[in-house]
Amino acid sequence: MLAKLNASFTRVTDHPDFGKLLLRLTFGILILFHGVAKMENGVGWIAKMLEAHGLPGFIAYGAYIGEVIAPVLIILGIFTRPAALVMSFNLVIAVLLVVGGKFFTVTEVGAWGLEGEAMYFFGGLVIMFLGSGRYSVVSNPALR
């Protein structure tokens, strides 16, 4: 009986392309909020952190690529795999610069200190490996 119920549920919910779209929209929109904040407030604070590590400050403008351009591409389903890789790479840099000290911490509610960052990082990797699916603003699969 459970197997029959599971088979029925699977038939109703078997929509992998819709799942890919939902995943892309969720992660793309949520990261885009970070990018909009950077557009409103600038990336000067990131440039100062980079310079403190001996790196050129202009690299901070890469945050716009990782938090604005890449998420928009992911949302639209254009160059989804490379955009997702860029988004994940952006998270690695953010962790190294901003919150790396939380690597071995646990919050008051028992969550890992880098739980949100890890979710975005691995979500980007999942999107990279899955691709856009068929729901995209471009019909050419080579551009998805």
Side-chain angles (χ1 to χ4, degrees), residues 44-62:
W45 62 278
I46 299 171
K48 288 178 185 172
M49 279 193 276
L50 287 165
E51 290 167 351
H53 286 82
L55 297 167
F58 74 87
I59 297 173
Y61 291 99

Side-chain angles (χ1 to χ4, degrees), residues 122-137:
F122 287 110
L125 291 182
V126 168
I127 293 168
M128 181 187 74
F129 289 122
L130 290 176
S132 68
R134 70 178 171 160
Y135 299 123
S136 171
V137 297

